[in-house]
Amino acid sequence: MHERARLHHNRRRLLGSLINCHHDLEASLLLEDSAEAFSMDFLNLNYISKLLTSSLPLFSSWGHGENYQRCMALKTNLTIENTTILDVAYVRGGRTVKTQGPCYSKASVSASLCRVHFTTETSPTSSIRAEAWLPDDWHGRFLALGNGGLGGCISYRELDYGSAMHFATVGSNNGHDGNRVLHDYVSRSIHTEALVGKQIVEMYYGRPHDKSYYIGCSSGGRQATYSALHYPQDFDGVVAGAPATDFNHLLHWTGMLGRALGAPDPQSSSAFIPAGLWKLVAAEILSQCDALDGVRDGVITEPDSCDFRPEALICKNGDSGEKCPSLAQVNALRKIYAPLYDQGELVMPRFDPGSEALYMDSVVFKGEISPYPRDWLQYVVLNVTEFDFGQYGPVQGRLMEEANPYGIKTFDGDMSAFRDRGGKFLTYHGRIDPQIPSGNSKRMYDLVSRTLGMPSLDEFYRLFLVPGMGHCAGGPGAADFGQPGVASNKFNASSHNVLLAIVDWVEAGVAPDNITGTAADGSVRVHCRYPKKSVWDGEKYGCTE
């Protein structure tokens, strides 16, 4: 009994820690762009154009009274196995509503819709909590939403985005209402929200959906990849941003970044680099690598071509370490900007040069162990409340990889079932992502290519690398193209919006040749599909083999 109580206590601590981690990630994303751009008020109908103007809405002729009656009828008529309907409400467009769960207090509702709050048991001791937003103006499309970080937050911003774009949209809390959070987090939450959400859609509209889609970033990108690998029938089209694939190695890499900078005791480490020096490092990286693409614009197009030499910053003429790095600090930089290996095997590609400008305030660059590997190791792998992270190293990385709870690794190249049923997989990754190195998405693409014996995956899988974009959104580049974290449709064109692009690809057979992003100043840039490269022709950027 004592052991079971300790396990239960540790799982509860993990749950609280994971939710806090997600809040930190959300906060960092919000700071990457202006507060105005990410405010709830940003999501209004002035920014939401009609999805695919050639597509006719299926139920726009319903009056508000009839919609209200149909919505309220779900309270008594909706019966789904293992599912409890917690609340049903009809909401007119332009309103603000209270939210469920600890993550947000309110959300905007742009389009008039039926809002269904439900919970589904995934085991005798666990469940997911979710919401379905069912717009009056529905085009027959189902959209499932992913999650971010390690947290359990329903993506209300994306619920509003999807429903305003005429999708019946469902988002879940990633299973954090149960004490078996891991299984739901790894594999069950998205599959469950898809199965239950589709049944709710059919009951409400009186007919099943035509096509099913998914969109998510970070952990949501890993969930997308896991779905394509293990539940290929769930979605016809998938949008996966910055996927956290090879999950255990990714968390270990994050821990080793902290160790390289003296974590967990930075003040006693000669390798620790204070914030003032990081500004010099960021400026030196731009000085060495910004012009490699032919133009100095504050954006490193191809970080893999940047052979950053931190030695150029070594103190000279007796300067103090406050103005330039010491040899120990230079050695730390060399570790950070190099791939991580263990026993001759690649663990994770290097930290992308240029990402440091978005990462200076993170716990890692402050010489601490990130909450992600810290909590994962303590509460999932070791099941202990305390661990001396001064001893953290390759052994702990191997333990995380060996544990691999419920197959969370998500680094399998066999997408044949998803491909063979006609599924389309669109993925993207910022080239200055401070959370997940963009080289990890290249690895995933190449793994699928090798596994399936396909030199090019253009038939069903396309990866777009986005220079100057941080984690999922933000940064100095053209980082707005209708993805999660931005949730706007400034251009009613699949060339400028990944959600429209996946619809065009699935329903019209028009595969995205490239994606055009918009920067904060309104300028645009074409982002190339891998393995094509972005080049400057003297006037603009284009793509070449």
Side-chain angles (χ1 to χ4, degrees):
M1 290 295 294
H2 176 73
E3 180 64 21
R4 291 183 63 185
R6 183 169 71 91
L7 178 62
H8 179 67
H9 173 72
N10 286 347
R11 282 173 170 166
R12 288 180 62 84
R13 285 193 58 176
L14 170 65
L15 173 58
S17 299
L18 297 185
I19 291 176
N20 289 334
C21 289
H22 178 73
H23 288 169
D24 293 341
L25 176 61
E26 287 290 306
S28 68
L29 289 177
L30 291 173
L31 290 174
E32 285 178 3
D33 231 330
S34 67
E36 178 182 4
F38 280 117
S39 70
M40 287 297 182
D41 292 336
F42 183 71
L43 282 172
N44 57 61
L45 291 176
N46 292 329
Y47 286 88
I48 306 295
S49 301
K50 184 176 180 181
L51 171 63
L52 295 179
T53 54
S54 61
S55 177
L56 295 176
L58 299 178
F59 293 98
S60 60
S61 60
W62 289 359
H64 282 302
E66 185 176 356
N67 291 330
Y68 173 83
Q69 293 173 4
R70 288 177 181 269
C71 184
M72 291 300 99
L74 293 180
K75 286 187 174 182
T76 55
N77 296 341
L78 190 57
T79 302
I80 300 173
E81 185 178 5
N82 298 324
T83 297
T84 301
I85 304 303
L86 302 177
D87 191 27
V88 175
Y90 182 78
V91 185
R92 290 181 179 271
R95 304 294 178 87
T96 299
V97 297
K98 291 183 179 180
T99 60
Q100 305 294 332
C103 301
Y104 309 102
S105 60
K106 62 182 180 179
S108 294
V109 181
S110 296
S112 295
L113 53 82
C114 181
R115 181 187 182 196
V116 182
H117 181 211
F118 63 94
T119 181
T120 298
E121 293 182 3
T122 53
S123 79
T125 58
S126 63
S127 64
I128 70 163
R129 181 169 46 80
E131 289 199 24
W133 286 23
L134 312 172
D136 292 358
D137 190 1
W138 182 53
H139 290 197
R141 302 182 180 105
F142 175 84
L143 178 65
L145 304 175
N147 303 95
L150 298 179
C153 298
I154 294 175
S155 302
Y156 282 100
R157 183 169 53 226
E158 280 70 37
L159 276 171
D160 188 41
Y161 179 45
S163 56
M165 298 279 276
H166 317 297
F167 290 79
T169 308
V170 179
S172 74
N173 73 337
N174 218 0
H176 283 194
D177 284 336
N179 63 8
R180 293 181 66 186
V181 56
L182 288 177
H183 200 169
D184 289 336
Y185 169 73
V186 172
S187 63
R188 292 192 301 208
S189 62
I190 300 302
H191 182 55
T192 301
E193 77 176 52
L195 293 179
V196 176
K198 290 174 183 179
Q199 293 179 68
I200 293 174
V201 166
E202 183 171 1
M203 175 66 72
Y204 181 64
Y205 292 111
R207 62 178 289 273
H209 65 281
D210 296 320
K211 295 294 181 181
S212 177
Y213 298 93
Y214 171 93
I215 191 168
C217 191
S218 190
S219 279
R222 186 201 63 80
Q223 291 167 323
T225 309
Y226 192 99
S227 294
L229 288 168
H230 297 278
Y231 300 108
Q233 73 282 359
D234 279 357
F235 305 111
D236 300 295
V238 167
V239 177
T245 53
D246 201 2
F247 184 86
N248 304 299
H249 281 156
L250 176 63
L251 264 59
H252 174 56
W253 169 81
T254 303
M256 293 303 288
L257 287 183
R259 290 288 285 150
L261 294 169
D265 187 16
Q267 301 307 317
S268 64
S269 172
S270 60
F272 177 66
I273 300 174
L277 277 182
W278 274 114
K279 293 180 180 179
L280 294 178
V281 171
E284 180 63 24
I285 287 176
L286 278 181
S287 175
Q288 292 185 25
C289 300
D290 185 6
L292 292 177
D293 59 1
V295 60
R296 286 194 177 274
D297 55 2
V299 173
I300 300 173
T301 293
E302 180 49 76
D304 291 342
S305 298
C306 176
D307 186 15
F308 171 51
R309 293 189 63 259
E311 290 82 2
L313 290 168
I314 292 176
C315 295
K316 302 179 182 67
N317 302 322
D319 288 339
S320 70
E322 296 180 357
K323 297 180 180 179
C324 50
S326 65
L327 288 176
Q329 290 167 328
V330 166
N331 287 333
L333 289 171
R334 293 203 67 83
K335 290 180 182 178
I336 290 170
Y337 293 100
L340 178 64
Y341 286 87
D342 181 32
Q343 297 179 329
E345 297 293 329
L346 177 67
V347 173
M348 192 59 49
R350 68 173 179 167
F351 189 82
D352 285 326
S355 303
E356 64 288 325
L358 299 178
Y359 215 41
M360 293 180 189
D361 292 331
S362 77
V363 294
V364 172
F365 277 22
K366 290 179 181 178
E368 301 175 23
I369 297 292
S370 167
Y372 300 115
R374 182 191 67 204
D375 293 343
W376 194 256
L377 178 66
Q378 284 186 242
Y379 305 129
V380 177
V381 176
L382 299 179
N383 188 32
V384 297
T385 55
E386 301 294 336
F387 175 77
D388 179 9
F389 278 92
Q391 303 301 314
Y392 186 87
V395 170
Q396 284 66 44
R398 292 172 211 149
L399 288 175
M400 291 160 70
E401 179 72 357
E402 290 168 6
N404 192 30
Y406 301 107
I408 195 171
K409 181 180 178 69
T410 318
F411 200 62
D412 179 352
D414 188 4
M415 283 194 182
S416 57
F418 182 75
R419 176 200 61 190
D420 294 346
R421 69 171 295 269
K424 306 301 181 186
F425 194 88
L426 189 162
T427 181
Y428 59 88
H429 206 135
R431 301 309 313 266
I432 53 170
D433 186 335
Q435 304 280 350
I436 305 170
S438 62
N440 199 39
S441 282
K442 287 185 175 183
R443 291 175 67 222
M444 188 69 203
Y445 182 100
D446 293 341
L447 176 64
V448 175
S449 178
R450 292 194 305 272
T451 303
L452 300 183
M454 299 175 65
S456 170
L457 301 180
D458 280 355
E459 170 190 333
F460 80 102
Y461 185 129
R462 298 199 173 194
L463 164 64
F464 297 90
L465 300 171
V466 185
M469 186 175 84
H471 186 60
C472 295
D480 182 343
F481 40 87
Q483 76 274 30
V486 173
S488 70
N489 185 30
K490 295 180 179 178
F491 297 92
N492 187 28
S494 58
S495 59
H496 291 67
N497 184 300
V498 287
L499 186 55
L500 299 182
I502 197 67
V503 170
D504 250 3
W505 196 2
V506 168
E507 298 180 19
V510 180
D513 192 52
N514 49 59
I515 293 293
T516 300
T518 306
D521 62 3
S523 61
V524 298
R525 177 173 177 175
V526 169
H527 303 309
C528 309
R529 72 179 189 277
Y530 181 73
K532 286 189 174 183
K533 295 184 178 180
S534 180
V535 295
W536 177 258
D537 66 5
E539 297 182 358
K540 65 181 184 304
Y541 286 103
C543 301
T544 185
E545 298 291 349

